[in-house]
Amino acid sequence: MDIEKKNPASHASNRLLSLDFMRGLIMCLLALEACGFYYHLRTASPEGSLGQTLISQFFHAGWHGLHFWDLIQPAFMFMAGIAMTYSLTSQINRGYSWNQRLVKLLKRCGWLVFWGIFKRISSPDWLAWEALDVTDILTQLAFASLIAFFVFGLTWRYQLLACAVILLTTELLYRGWPVSGFDEPFTQGANFGNWVDAVLFGQPASTYVFINWFPTAVHTVAGVLVGKLLLNQQRPTGLLLLFGLPLIILGYSLDSLALTPIIKPIASSSFMLASLGFCLWMIAVLHWWIDVRNHKKGLLFLQVLGMNAIFIYLFFDIVGRNWLNDYGYMITAPLLASLGLSATGIAIASSLCVFALEWSICYFLYRKKIFFKL
């Protein structure tokens, strides 16, 4: 992991600010989840109320379906592809050879795999082969980044073809896998992905599977395509919105016609298409608002998270979940109780206090010009 010390203003001026904002938004949402904020809100909402319906969007849909929260991981992978375009383009301009770029990426992927596994260190079996967390977003990103790297130099037509081949191959593997007990493509615990986990790691059937990095590489490759579009066109908003619409329609159509259900845990093709469409819409709107319309006021709150995304992701997952959340509640609960707050209100306020502390750490790093990257 590298630590850079740069002037924040000059550092930001060389970046795609909409990407920093989008990355910061995703990290903000993830940090709030790690603090237990959504859980406490759901507990406070009456059963069947509008509030509970809305807050349910901040939880995964389960096996089948698509909630807002199911778009977080696709957005993470998609943003990595955009960032890769800017990074590799900069390296090419500075004279890095293909081999040098590959070695640099391999080091980064190694760190991603390490931290993806290490962040479960609170579990006593975190290093046991049959219990490795090989479905973490960092681990998935490591493999997806390699695929995106190898197609980076291709034309956009071949990159689109690569995405189509990945989705088609995944569809065929799940639908045609002949091994008994793992030949039900869209059944939890009995699909091709579960077979891979059993063979490679000896892991029992679970919801999320290791091989997800293969279909979700489409998000990262698509991010590379969008990154090149943003580099070469000043106003790509219309194109991004236009491309996103048929992807969303096709994804939901495959699901509604019972051809391929939308299933995030195995990254089904219908899920991939619909979620990618939403990612295109998200970056289109943010790019138009921030980079084209030059709306830069009020962005700092999320930018400080976006510019230290890897640090805060590891911090709230390793330190926050396993120590800081409980310690923060222990300190704040008596103070909040003295204000007359209910038990649920105390839990909600305490989670916000922990989030505020985590944001403050990122702000401190931002002011000290310290930026962590892999």
Side-chain angles (χ1 to χ4, degrees), residues 288-306:
W288 171 82
W289 176 47
I290 297 171
D291 300 312
V292 177
R293 297 298 299 271
N294 204 33
H295 287 163
K296 295 182 172 60
K297 291 184 178 180
L299 303 184
L300 182 64
F301 181 82
L302 294 179
Q303 280 182 326
V304 297
L305 295 174

Side-chain angles (χ1 to χ4, degrees), residues 262-295:
I262 291 178
I263 303 175
K264 180 187 184 297
I266 60 169
S268 65
S269 57
S270 53
F271 168 77
M272 291 299 302
L273 293 168
S275 59
L276 178 55
F278 285 121
C279 287
L280 291 178
W281 279 7
M282 188 181 302
I283 192 63
V285 172
L286 292 178
H287 178 67
W288 171 82
W289 176 47
I290 297 171
D291 300 312
V292 177
R293 297 298 299 271
N294 204 33
H295 287 163

Side-chain angles (χ1 to χ4, degrees), residues 122-138:
S122 61
S123 174
D125 63 350
W126 73 275
L127 201 53
W129 185 254
E130 66 279 3
L132 287 180
D133 185 8
V134 291
T135 64
D136 183 78
I137 191 171
L138 296 182

Side-chain angles (χ1 to χ4, degrees), residues 147 151 156-170 214-215 217-223 225 273 276:
I147 293 178
V151 303
W156 65 268
R157 290 182 178 84
Y158 283 108
Q159 289 176 338
L160 286 178
L161 178 61
C163 291
V165 169
I166 290 172
L167 291 182
L168 180 60
T169 301
T170 303
F214 185 63
V218 169
H219 286 134
T220 308
V221 175
L225 274 163
L273 293 168
L276 178 55

Side-chain angles (χ1 to χ4, degrees), residues 106-220:
L106 287 173
K107 290 179 180 178
R108 180 174 188 267
C109 291
W111 278 114
L112 286 170
V113 172
F114 169 78
W115 287 112
I117 294 173
F118 181 81
K119 75 185 192 68
R120 282 189 66 247
I121 194 172
S122 61
S123 174
D125 63 350
W126 73 275
L127 201 53
W129 185 254
E130 66 279 3
L132 287 180
D133 185 8
V134 291
T135 64
D136 183 78
I137 191 171
L138 296 182
T139 308
Q140 299 283 306
L141 180 58
F143 292 96
S145 295
L146 283 173
I147 293 178
F149 177 85
F150 286 117
V151 303
F152 181 81
L154 302 179
T155 65
W156 65 268
R157 290 182 178 84
Y158 283 108
Q159 289 176 338
L160 286 178
L161 178 61
C163 291
V165 169
I166 290 172
L167 291 182
L168 180 60
T169 301
T170 303
E171 191 85 10
L172 293 175
L173 284 171
Y174 273 89
R175 288 183 179 275
W177 199 246
V179 179
S180 178
F182 300 100
D183 53 357
E184 300 179 40
F186 307 122
T187 300
Q188 183 175 340
N191 55 67
F192 167 71
N194 297 128
W195 177 84
V196 173
D197 288 349
V199 171
L200 290 183
F201 306 102
Q203 294 184 355
S206 60
T207 305
Y208 286 83
V209 295
F210 168 66
I211 201 63
N212 271 4
W213 59 263
F214 185 63
T216 55
V218 169
H219 286 134
T220 308

Side-chain angles (χ1 to χ4, degrees), residues 10-73:
S10 63
H11 189 60
S13 65
N14 296 322
R15 302 173 69 97
L16 185 67
L17 293 182
S18 56
L19 181 61
D20 274 335
F21 182 88
M22 183 175 175
R23 188 188 291 114
L25 175 62
I26 297 302
M27 301 319 298
C28 178
L29 293 171
L30 285 171
L32 286 169
E33 185 274 334
C35 295
F37 180 63
Y38 309 133
Y39 172 79
H40 298 315
L41 281 182
R42 186 171 63 176
T43 302
S45 302
E47 190 71 30
S49 65
L50 176 61
Q52 185 153 101
T53 300
L54 292 175
I55 199 62
S56 69
Q57 289 297 315
F58 289 84
F59 293 85
H60 289 301
W63 179 251
H64 176 226
L66 180 61
H67 284 182
F68 168 76
W69 197 248
D70 296 310
L71 298 175
I72 298 298
Q73 184 262 356

